[in-house]
């Protein structure tokens, strides 16, 4: 198990290197810089000498290869650089934003799992029923709804019309401020989990060993508990892991919509002003989060099915 874990962790290193390379190249060839973005509001005439001085101060006038070598060396020392705008270490800025993003991602995933998995399971046990049809129609609708549009609807209903919850903002980090953005972010994984769970459970129910269990006289509840649930778990864990890993990246729109101070909103603000160190650091953190969750899912697979370690 230890060798399996180390192999999965080591596989993350080349992936992060490729991502870092792509991020660096993309933001090196994109026109404009922090200095030009600083004076792009149309109200200030930028002095070319001032722009040149700022570019020199931030090291943007150095050769591309030299900048990339310095960037990779700093990454190897866990140094994400310094923000052009705030002059603060990027790692500190991302650290401050990580907790709100984690809160939102965890709340959205809990919302999706608690509702989506039971709905999919019950729909699979009654295939073709009214409940099954309504559940699948709802799942397709949930996958089709744009998150920002759903977020606006939730704001209008629960904040403006019913006045039950705050419409936006982090506040004191209480559950009341978390409910609306978590619901808006969690609807898509909820719908996907419902569909995936239904498909996985139906596939297990139609297997030969399930018919054998019924033929031996095992009760329906025992078959579902001992055989169906456990064998459908691998597919459910896969979906939960992939969705949870991607939630921080998906939360960019929701964080901006609800003025949530997470990594996603920091990323959008930094892109607008070409604060490249923050942009690079935020993207790397989002990718690293996805890789860590996928690695954790792989380890969970090995715990559920020991044969996976031999592959």
């Amino acid at each position: 198990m230890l060798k399996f874990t180390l192999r999965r962790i080591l596989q993350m290193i080349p992936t992060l290197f490729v991502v870092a390379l792509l991020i660096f190249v993309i933001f090196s060839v994109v026109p404009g810089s922090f200095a030009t973005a600083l004076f792009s509001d149309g109200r200030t005439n930028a002095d070319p000498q001032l722009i040149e001085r700022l570019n020199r101060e931030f090291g943007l006038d150095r050769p591309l290869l030299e900048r990339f070598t310095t960037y990779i060396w700093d990454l190897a020392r866990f140094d994400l650089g310094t923000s052009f705008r705030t002059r603060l270490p990027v790692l500190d800025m991302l650290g401050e934003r990580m907790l709100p993003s984690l809160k939102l991602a965890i709340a959205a995933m809990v919302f999706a799992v608690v509702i989506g998995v039971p709905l999919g399971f019950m729909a699979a046990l009654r295939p073709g029923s009214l409940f099954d049809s309504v559940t699948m129609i709802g799942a397709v609708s949930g996958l089709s709804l744009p998150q920002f549009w759903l977020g606006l609807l939730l704001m209008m209903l629960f904040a403006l019309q019913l006045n039950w919850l705050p419409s936006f903002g982090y506040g004191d980090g209480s559950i009341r401020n978390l409910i609306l953005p978590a619901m808006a972010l969690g609807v898509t994984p909820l719908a996907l989990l419902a569909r995936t769970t239904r498909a996985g459970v139906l596939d297990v129910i139609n297997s030969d060993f399930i018919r054998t269990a019924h033929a031996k006289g095992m009760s329906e509840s025992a078959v579902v508990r001992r055989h169906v649930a456990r064998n459908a778990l691998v597919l459910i864990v896969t979906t939960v892991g992939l969705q949870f890993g991607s939630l921080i990246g998906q939360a960019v729109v929701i964080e901006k919509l609800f003025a949530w101070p997470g990594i996603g909103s920091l990323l959008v603000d930094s892109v607008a002003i070409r604060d490249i160190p923050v942009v690079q650091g935020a993207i790397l953190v989002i990718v690293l989060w996805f890789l860590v969750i996928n690695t954790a899912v792989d380890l969970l697979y090995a715990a559920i099915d020991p044969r996976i370690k031999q592959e």
Side-chain angles (χ1 to χ4, degrees):
M1 188 67 178
L2 180 60
K3 292 174 62 177
F4 178 78
T5 304
L6 290 175
R7 187 169 68 249
R8 286 292 188 267
I9 293 175
L10 290 176
Q11 287 173 354
M12 297 167 56
I13 297 176
T15 304
L16 286 173
F17 177 80
V18 172
V19 170
L21 174 62
L22 291 175
I23 295 171
F24 181 85
V25 171
I26 289 172
F27 285 100
S28 295
V29 300
V30 169
S33 65
F34 175 75
T36 56
L38 197 63
F39 302 106
S40 63
D41 58 0
R43 294 173 295 177
T44 305
N45 293 322
D47 185 351
Q49 292 183 349
L50 177 58
I51 292 179
E52 183 181 351
R53 183 174 65 83
L54 288 174
N55 286 335
R56 185 168 57 252
E57 179 183 346
F58 297 134
L60 299 177
D61 60 335
R62 292 182 296 167
L64 191 64
L65 183 58
E66 180 184 346
R67 287 160 49 199
F68 178 70
T69 303
T70 303
Y71 173 56
I72 294 299
W73 173 247
D74 289 341
L75 282 182
R77 296 181 296 137
F78 302 100
D79 181 4
L80 298 180
T82 303
S83 168
F84 293 162
R85 178 174 61 90
T86 65
R87 309 300 176 94
L88 296 174
V90 174
L91 198 59
D92 292 345
M93 295 177 64
L94 294 175
E96 293 177 358
R97 300 293 189 110
M98 193 64 190
L99 181 58
S101 288
L102 283 177
K103 280 185 177 181
L104 180 57
I106 292 172
M109 201 69 246
V110 169
F111 171 70
V113 170
V114 168
I115 299 179
V117 172
L119 283 179
F121 209 99
M122 290 186 291
L125 296 179
R126 302 173 180 82
S129 65
L130 178 62
F131 180 83
D132 181 29
S133 300
V134 171
T135 300
M136 289 304 100
I137 291 173
V140 172
S141 301
L143 289 171
S144 305
L145 290 175
Q147 290 182 332
F148 72 90
W149 185 77
L150 179 62
L152 290 174
L153 288 182
L154 292 174
M155 281 184 183
M156 291 178 60
L157 176 61
F158 292 103
L160 299 181
Q161 298 295 329
L162 300 176
N163 198 27
W164 288 354
L165 298 167
S167 57
F168 62 88
Y170 186 71
D172 58 356
S174 67
I175 188 68
R176 295 185 72 253
N177 297 86
L178 185 60
I179 291 175
L180 290 185
M183 289 174 62
L185 182 61
V187 164
T188 298
L190 186 157
L192 187 60
L193 270 173
R195 287 174 59 86
T196 304
T197 302
R198 179 183 182 276
V201 171
L202 280 177
D203 186 58
V204 174
I205 287 176
N206 294 324
S207 301
D208 291 337
F209 70 91
I210 296 297
R211 287 190 285 269
T212 301
H214 283 301
K216 289 182 177 180
M218 186 176 291
S219 66
E220 183 69 24
S221 61
V223 170
V224 171
R225 185 175 63 255
R226 296 181 184 179
H227 298 292
V228 176
R230 181 168 184 176
N231 284 277
L233 186 61
V234 172
L235 183 58
I236 297 172
V237 167
T238 303
T239 306
V240 171
L242 291 175
Q243 289 298 303
F244 188 45
S246 63
L247 273 183
I248 289 186
Q250 294 179 24
V252 171
V253 174
I254 296 301
E255 287 185 3
K256 286 300 295 181
L257 180 63
F258 286 92
W260 193 261
I263 291 177
S265 59
L266 177 64
L267 175 60
V268 174
D269 295 339
S270 300
V271 168
I273 60 172
R274 300 291 197 277
D275 195 349
I276 303 304
V278 178
V279 174
Q280 292 172 332
I283 294 176
L284 275 177
V285 167
I286 291 172
V287 172
L288 179 62
W289 169 259
F290 184 78
L291 292 175
V292 167
I293 295 300
N294 278 331
T295 301
V297 171
D298 286 341
L299 298 179
L300 187 57
Y301 284 165
I304 296 174
D305 187 354
R307 293 172 299 176
I308 295 176
K309 290 184 291 186
Q310 307 301 323
E311 297 179 356

